[in-house]
Amino acid sequence: MPTLPEGVRHFPLYLSPQRQAALVDEIRQIVQEAPLFVPAMPRTGKEMSVRMTNCGELGWVTDRERGYRYQPTHPVTGVPWPPIPETLLGIWRDVSGHEKPPQACLVNFYDEKARMGLHQDRDETDFSAPVVSVSLGDDCRFRVGTAKRGGATASVRLASGDVLVLGGQSRLAYHGVDRIYSQTSPLLKNGGRINLTLRRVTA
Ligand code: SIN
Ligand code: FE2
């Protein structure tokens, strides 16, 4: 797969360095209200290498007992998720082509050793809206295939300020993060990468 699959759109440096820094400040605020938690795989309880939190009316969580799901409150504090920052709502309006606003924003933090295996985003009940993803901090190698497990994949290097959209026939494409390229961005004081994914959950 030489180029990106149909329905995958990459907008390099969508956010200027200045807007990236402002967004990081907003994410820090969100993390203060809704601390990063350690997600665990359903049944096995194996911990994922990323640390997560959310903003929006719904947040994506996972643990051994109850598995993958969306819920309106933080799994540790029980407090409702903070609202989605206006910057992200604006990006969604500009690139999603969807009339309704996002309901969920998953915040993933990757340290230099973290990765994310190939998976589909399919815990939503409506797939008509795309998934819109914003990258901040260190570069990563992002891998994306088709909606069929084990199909061909392509990779793209995502850098700070990039926006990536998984829509149309790629809405259910398998995707993941192979690796983080550490110390490739000065944005985060202690290094690492933040990824924000905006989604509709229900119709
Ligand atoms: C995800 O699939 O939840 C994260 C993708 C990314 O980190 O770019
Ligand atoms: Fe995903």
Side-chain angles (χ1 to χ4, degrees):
M1 207 178 275
T3 54
L4 292 174
E6 196 178 326
V8 180
R9 289 183 296 148
H10 179 204
F11 302 89
L13 203 63
Y14 192 91
L15 293 175
S16 67
Q18 206 174 356
R19 293 184 71 204
Q20 292 171 39
L23 185 52
V24 168
D25 285 342
E26 295 186 287
I27 300 302
R28 285 193 207 292
Q29 201 71 41
I30 287 165
V31 170
Q32 283 200 3
E33 286 178 53
L36 293 168
F37 61 90
V38 182
M41 302 294 282
R43 293 179 300 278
T44 63
K46 186 180 177 343
E47 291 182 354
M48 296 171 68
S49 55
V50 297
R51 297 295 173 258
M52 291 182 174
T53 189
N54 290 269
C55 51
E57 65 194 70
L58 291 169
W60 188 88
V61 301
T62 176
D63 53 36
R64 182 207 292 260
E65 295 74 23
R66 296 174 61 201
Y68 302 154
R69 63 194 186 274
Y70 282 94
Q71 62 181 45
T73 55
H74 191 285
V76 178
T77 67
V79 173
W81 305 107
I84 299 176
E86 180 51 41
T87 310
L88 294 175
L89 298 176
I91 294 172
W92 174 274
R93 280 194 297 271
D94 292 344
V95 304
S96 73
H98 197 83
E99 65 281 10
K100 293 185 184 159
Q103 292 167 297
C105 175
L106 175 63
V107 179
N108 284 142
F109 177 76
Y110 297 76
D111 67 17
E112 62 181 24
K113 292 206 183 85
R115 16 178 237 101
M116 189 173 290
L118 282 176
H119 66 277
Q120 292 174 295
D121 287 8
R122 57 165 194 198
D123 299 314
E124 302 74 31
T125 55
D126 183 65
F127 299 129
S128 57
V131 175
V132 174
S133 134
V134 180
S135 294
L136 295 168
D138 286 336
D139 293 6
C140 78
R141 187 165 68 220
F142 182 83
R143 185 162 297 280
V144 58
T146 67
K148 230 179 68 183
R149 184 194 296 276
T153 63
S155 69
V156 57
R157 185 165 172 141
L158 295 181
S160 197
D162 288 10
V163 169
L164 187 94
V165 179
L166 294 181
Q169 66 179 51
S170 286
R171 172 61 182 78
L172 289 171
Y174 278 86
H175 61 278
V177 173
D178 294 346
R179 60 166 297 192
I180 301 297
Y181 297 101
S182 87
Q183 295 183 355
T184 49
S185 164
L187 184 68
L188 304 176
K189 198 167 54 249
N190 298 317
R193 171 175 183 261
I194 294 171
N195 178 258
L196 310 164
T197 44
L198 300 160
R199 303 190 190 93
R200 288 290 304 175
V201 179
T202 62

